Amino acid sequence: MITRRLYRHLDARLGTTATGRTALAKVFPDHWTFMLGEIALYCFLALVLTGTYLTLFFEPSTAERVYDGAYQPLAGSQVSSAFASTVGLSFDVRAGLLMRQAHHWAALLFVGAILLHLLRIFFTGAFRKPREINWVIGVTMLALAMLNGFTGYSMPDDLLSGTGLRIIYSVVLSIPVVGSWIALLCFGGEFPTGETTPRLYISHVFLVPALFAALIALHLAIIIRQKHTQFPGPGRSDRNVVGSRLWPAYLTRSLSLATAVFSVVFLLGGLVQINPVWIYGPFNPAQATSPAQPDWYVAWGDGALRLFPAVNFHVFGHLVPAPFLPGAGVGAVTFLLLYTWPWLERWRTGDRDFHHLLQRPRERPGRVAVGAGALTFFAILLVAAADDIIARLLAIPVTGILRTLQILVLTLPFVAAGIAFLLARALRAGSASSLADLTLDDVRAGLARDRGTTADTGRPSANQRIHLWRNPDGTWRWCWRGPGETLTSNEAYLTRPEAVEAAHVAYARVPIIQVDPPAGLVLPGPARRPGWAARLAAAGFWVAMLLSGRRRSAARDNRSS
């Protein structure tokens, strides 16, 4: 009774019932790729929960003390408070090791989910107008996730994290003009210094998580205001969303996914060892671990430092040290391109329309080529970060591996981009529904010059597409869809290739998408060619008619004679 009365008071003042009904009736698309963002969200929640537990026991200080915990190999050693508290979390605090490792695994999955989510948005064109703001927010969250992951595993003050901090300090110091000031602000002085760990702690625990919470709230608010994008299909347009309502279908699915994410995070935390700082030992400026590899999301920077030649040069009288280009320049250019990509593509294509329907990657071969080349480039840098491990496993000199990777990083991205461009054009020009269905004719069509395209860009309009479907009776039909207009073919076809050929004759090089049959559309039957049995029966009928006519004619002649 008290709860009901309290709810009525709140509803009378805030209108919660109407707002709640509207929220519960919101429709979400059913495609599985839309769950990648939710995986990132639930990983963030796992990070907050496990991180809160860890802050209760971690000491962000480099003040030395004698270790007297349960790990006997370190007993009586002089270590920093940060390192001692981390080892204590692993051996002395109940569920401490589980929380440490689950937190680390959640961070790795968090960055991976954000990256996959951004790739889905990139290749499907979901960043186009009016969603440029959400794209910028997503890129910013990727940068913050990488930053917070690095500061997190750098706080324990072990030998591996200290080696990584020394590298980052050198990279920051190499930035012309402002590098020394940024290093002083971030590290508190010349590395190593006692100010570094407390500053990393403040950034990792307070500043970046607060920014994340604000960006996630803004991101979700924009999605609610602008509604979800969706893939083209029957009944889907720029004015609606086809899928499942928030209650009960989508919420049940989302909570099931949350349970799965938390289960995977804690299973990994309990069963798979990661970052065993007690093996690395406390940080010592005179020592370095070998091999030493950072987490995967920053390993590309380490790989770039290993591959790029050590070249110093001057710009306007200012020295640019060797670590700047691979350590800071590659990342800066990458994120600059990511931030500006929606406007770069709009300038290239001239497409300034609002879009709520996604594109299939094949519809933009150029975009696919850029994405494939960039992914190949960073994959090679990622491999280069493990060159010492590869050399030891293969028993070959590390210099030979470096020379091979240096050649690959300059050539393989262009090869991958060219192959991706060709395959995307072949898929767009041909009738294949996937890469496995590509034929040699599709590849030739992809190599051929596009015909029937717009005069200014040489490509079909981004708003044009052909929908192809199979009718319940086994015949095929297609329709052309453009801005505010739909034209359906007058005939149905016996086979899919016949329908594709007819569509290409009518609208050359317009992308073809196979969809489900539109509901309520009256479909005319095709002019079926008679089979051999029908032809033989017809021939027999006409022969019988001819013989019967001759008999009647002979009978009339006999009667008249």
Side-chain angles (χ1 to χ4, degrees), residues 369-455:
V370 171
L375 289 175
T376 304
F377 176 76
F378 283 100
I380 296 173
L381 296 184
L382 192 65
V383 173
D387 59 354
D388 48 351
I389 297 179
I390 297 173
R392 186 165 61 179
L393 291 176
L394 300 180
I396 57 178
V398 70
T399 54
I401 295 176
L402 283 177
R403 294 293 179 268
T404 303
L405 292 175
Q406 286 173 340
I407 295 173
L408 291 177
V409 80
L410 294 176
T411 58
L412 197 56
F414 296 100
V415 175
I419 294 175
F421 183 79
L422 172 61
L423 293 177
R425 281 182 58 117
L427 287 170
R428 185 181 68 178
S431 59
S433 58
S434 65
L435 286 174
D437 299 328
L438 274 178
T439 63
L440 189 58
D441 291 336
D442 294 330
V443 176
R444 290 196 185 101
L447 289 172
R449 180 182 176 86
D450 287 348
R451 299 184 299 274
T453 56
T454 55

Side-chain angles (χ1 to χ4, degrees), residues 45-128:
L45 294 179
L47 286 168
V48 171
L49 294 176
T50 55
T52 302
Y53 185 86
L54 295 177
T55 56
L56 301 177
F57 304 97
F58 179 73
E59 298 180 32
S61 171
T62 55
E64 289 194 353
R65 76 183 205 194
V66 177
Y67 176 77
D68 57 356
Y71 186 63
Q72 288 303 313
L74 283 177
S77 302
Q78 289 281 344
V79 297
S80 66
S81 297
F83 183 79
S85 62
T86 303
V87 177
L89 266 166
S90 304
F91 290 95
D92 300 316
V93 177
R94 181 171 296 181
L97 182 59
L98 172 64
M99 291 297 178
R100 269 197 65 236
Q101 296 192 150
H103 189 76
H104 202 133
W105 280 113
L108 298 179
L109 296 176
F110 180 53
V111 182
I114 293 177
L115 179 61
L116 291 176
H117 187 52
L118 279 175
L119 288 176
R120 196 273 299 174
I121 293 172
F122 177 82
F123 284 112
T124 60
F127 55 82
R128 295 173 298 166

Side-chain angles (χ1 to χ4, degrees), residues 174-525:
S174 70
I175 300 175
V177 182
V178 297
S180 57
W181 295 98
I182 298 176
L184 177 64
L185 179 65
C186 296
F187 294 88
E190 185 177 356
F191 183 82
T193 174
E195 294 292 327
T196 302
T197 299
R199 298 191 182 201
L200 293 176
Y201 182 80
I202 293 173
S203 171
H204 184 78
V205 175
F206 296 106
L207 298 181
V208 176
L211 283 174
F212 254 116
L215 290 175
I216 289 173
L218 181 59
H219 179 72
L220 296 177
I222 293 176
I223 288 178
I224 294 173
R225 179 66 182 87
Q226 292 181 340
K227 75 182 181 182
H228 258 290
T229 55
Q230 58 185 344
F231 286 97
R236 299 172 185 175
S237 67
D238 287 330
R239 297 178 296 275
N240 68 350
V241 177
V242 178
S244 303
R245 293 182 182 273
L246 176 61
W247 176 262
Y250 192 83
L251 186 60
T252 303
R253 188 186 311 150
S254 184
L255 291 178
S256 301
L257 179 63
T259 304
V261 170
F262 274 81
S263 299
V264 169
V265 166
F266 281 96
L267 279 174
L268 289 172
L271 300 177
V272 183
Q273 185 184 73
I274 191 170
N275 198 26
V277 296
W278 57 90
I279 296 178
Y280 306 142
F283 174 64
N284 186 338
Q287 298 177 351
T289 56
S290 180
Q293 276 70 38
D295 285 341
W296 69 268
Y297 49 84
V298 290
W300 57 268
D302 189 14
L305 288 168
R306 300 184 188 208
L307 289 186
F308 276 61
V311 177
N312 301 317
F313 58 94
H314 290 78
V315 176
F316 300 114
H318 295 281
L319 174 66
V320 181
F324 173 73
L325 285 180
V330 173
V333 171
T334 299
F335 276 93
L336 179 63
L337 290 175
L338 285 174
Y339 275 117
T340 58
W341 184 264
W343 293 274
L344 291 175
E345 184 168 300
R346 182 187 305 174
W347 167 76
R348 178 67 180 86
T349 62
D351 181 12
R352 301 181 181 275
D353 297 332
F354 281 71
H355 297 281
H356 301 293
L357 289 177
L358 300 174
Q359 295 174 310
R360 301 181 77 182
R362 68 182 65 183
E363 297 179 37
R364 288 294 182 194
R367 185 196 299 155
V368 172
V370 171
L375 289 175
T376 304
F377 176 76
F378 283 100
I380 296 173
L381 296 184
L382 192 65
V383 173
D387 59 354
D388 48 351
I389 297 179
I390 297 173
R392 186 165 61 179
L393 291 176
L394 300 180
I396 57 178
V398 70
T399 54
I401 295 176
L402 283 177
R403 294 293 179 268
T404 303
L405 292 175
Q406 286 173 340
I407 295 173
L408 291 177
V409 80
L410 294 176
T411 58
L412 197 56
F414 296 100
V415 175
I419 294 175
F421 183 79
L422 172 61
L423 293 177
R425 281 182 58 117
L427 287 170
R428 185 181 68 178
S431 59
S433 58
S434 65
L435 286 174
D437 299 328
L438 274 178
T439 63
L440 189 58
D441 291 336
D442 294 330
V443 176
R444 290 196 185 101
L447 289 172
R449 180 182 176 86
D450 287 348
R451 299 184 299 274
T453 56
T454 55
D456 54 342
T457 64
R459 293 183 300 274
S461 170
N463 298 323
Q464 297 184 40
R465 56 175 57 89
I466 293 174
H467 286 185
L468 177 73
W469 66 88
R470 186 177 184 179
N471 298 324
D473 62 354
T475 59
W476 292 84
R477 193 92 182 276
W478 60 268
C479 73
W480 173 88
R481 289 181 177 270
E485 188 177 4
T486 300
L487 299 176
T488 306
S489 62
N490 295 325
E491 299 181 24
Y493 300 88
L494 295 176
T495 63
R496 188 178 188 274
E498 290 179 0
V500 170
E501 182 180 1
H504 276 162
V505 170
Y507 300 97
R509 301 299 173 263
V510 175
I512 296 178
I513 303 173
Q514 186 168 332
V515 298
D516 296 328
L521 186 63
V522 179
L523 304 173

Side-chain angles (χ1 to χ4, degrees), residues 127-214:
F127 55 82
R128 295 173 298 166
K129 189 177 180 180
R131 292 176 176 81
E132 303 95 333
I133 297 177
N134 250 355
W135 170 260
V136 171
I137 292 174
V139 174
T140 303
M141 286 196 286
L142 175 62
L144 289 177
M146 295 168 61
L147 170 65
N148 220 36
F150 178 78
T151 57
Y153 82 73
S154 298
M155 288 192 301
D157 198 35
D158 60 285
L159 190 56
L160 178 61
S161 65
T163 303
L165 279 175
R166 185 187 348 223
I167 295 172
I168 290 297
Y169 177 78
S170 301
V171 171
V172 173
L173 206 61
S174 70
I175 300 175
V177 182
V178 297
S180 57
W181 295 98
I182 298 176
L184 177 64
L185 179 65
C186 296
F187 294 88
E190 185 177 356
F191 183 82
T193 174
E195 294 292 327
T196 302
T197 299
R199 298 191 182 201
L200 293 176
Y201 182 80
I202 293 173
S203 171
H204 184 78
V205 175
F206 296 106
L207 298 181
V208 176
L211 283 174
F212 254 116

